[in-house]
Amino acid sequence: MSAYLSTPVLGWGRTDDPFATAMRTGRGPLWLRTEDGRHRIPLHVERWCAEPDSADSTLVNRALWRGLPTLDIGCGPGRLVTALQRHGLPALGVDVTPAAVTRTIGLGGSALCRSVFDRLPGEGRWATGLLADGNLGIGGDPSALLCRVAQLLAPGGRLLVEVEPAEVDERLTVRLEDGAGRLGPTFPWARLGKSATIRIAETAGFTAAGGWHSDGRDFLELVLPHARN
Ligand SMILES: C[S@@+](CC[C@H](N)C(=O)[O-])C[C@H]1O[C@@H](n2cnc3c(N)ncnc32)[C@H](O)[C@@H]1O
């Protein structure tokens, strides 16, 4: 499948920023730096560009057990969507960063260069959605993101989402920063722990169906009702 280019989304999706460079080289260091410069959140570029690790495999295996079409939202360089497809699962990655989509396709995976908020194939029919590696932060408005994901999933669909290990509920303005101190433009981001995620997910129509912990990372399974309200 070839890349389909959408409108870039604030902070991500550029061809010349630190994230695009990291996606091309497969190397960090890379951080999300808060606007006030007080915090730098590390982005795990090398892990994202490697084969799925044991915590990733818990996500992949849950999607495989379901055995149904899976949408990897903000797929980055594509290790999860590619692993799913290698096991024969129908799966698609979406990401706004062209270099990430190119890397996914280079691994043999399917990905569209499009925002999760753009029109996507199979809207309302995806059985499983993935939001891994802090992707609940996409757009900086988790409520809007989860409502959008609820539209993309089928009735009874499940979202496998990674949450922060700490009970945080933060809306941030950040920039991407590389090891040479180069900064991208500011954009909104969010960080949510388990309780905040469940609370916001419920307003988007999801129910928490459980959670798990693996290698210092925390995940939730959120489920939609079988009939649309
Ligand atoms: C924290 S990184 C996570 C990377 C990824 N899960 C991985 O395995 O590499 C966030 C990813 O979300 C993508 N992204 C940001 N905004 C997006 C949007 N509106 N729609 C789709 N992807 C988006 C970025 O390009 C980036 O690849």
Side-chain angles (χ1 to χ4, degrees):
M1 188 179 289
S2 61
Y4 174 99
L5 197 61
S6 76
T7 321
V9 170
L10 275 183
W12 305 92
R14 298 160 60 101
T15 51
D16 57 347
D17 76 356
F19 188 69
T21 305
M23 289 298 97
R24 276 193 294 273
T25 61
R27 285 199 305 274
L30 195 67
W31 296 272
L32 289 178
R33 183 191 179 97
T34 55
E35 198 180 23
D36 60 13
R38 288 174 55 196
H39 300 287
R40 286 201 311 185
I41 302 156
L43 298 181
H44 304 282
V45 175
E46 285 85 355
R47 177 169 68 73
W48 297 344
C49 291
E51 286 292 308
D53 65 12
S54 55
D56 293 331
S57 299
T58 64
L59 266 181
V60 168
N61 288 338
R62 270 177 170 75
L64 290 174
W65 288 334
R66 301 205 73 217
L68 296 168
T70 298
L71 185 66
D72 183 3
I73 299 158
C75 66
R79 72 193 188 288
L80 301 177
V81 64
T82 308
L84 293 171
Q85 290 184 288
R86 261 193 228 129
H87 285 90
L89 199 76
L92 177 68
V94 289
D95 201 289
V96 285
T97 301
V101 170
T102 300
R103 206 169 175 112
T104 302
I105 292 169
L107 288 180
S110 300
L112 286 180
C113 195
R114 220 176 276 189
S115 167
V116 61
F117 296 105
D118 288 342
R119 223 172 124 223
L120 291 176
E123 293 205 10
R125 296 203 304 274
W126 294 97
T128 308
L130 301 183
L131 271 180
D133 310 307
N135 280 0
L136 253 180
I138 286 175
D141 180 348
S143 176
L145 178 62
L146 289 172
C147 286
R148 174 61 180 143
V149 173
Q151 285 176 344
L152 293 170
L153 296 181
R158 285 178 189 246
L159 176 64
L160 307 178
V161 55
E162 184 165 358
V163 297
E164 295 298 323
E167 287 288 12
V168 291
D169 184 2
E170 299 174 336
R171 308 292 175 275
L172 306 167
T173 301
V174 295
R175 293 167 189 269
L176 288 156
E177 178 182 359
D178 69 11
R182 277 185 290 264
L183 293 167
T186 59
F187 62 96
W189 195 247
R191 293 170 78 235
L192 272 70
K194 189 172 154 189
S195 304
T197 303
I198 292 173
R199 183 171 41 77
I200 293 171
E202 283 174 352
T203 66
F206 289 95
T207 304
W212 71 101
H213 177 88
S214 178
D215 284 340
R217 293 167 62 195
D218 286 275
F219 304 89
L220 286 174
E221 183 161 341
L222 303 172
V223 59
L224 286 175
H226 281 279
R228 294 222 185 262
N229 292 322

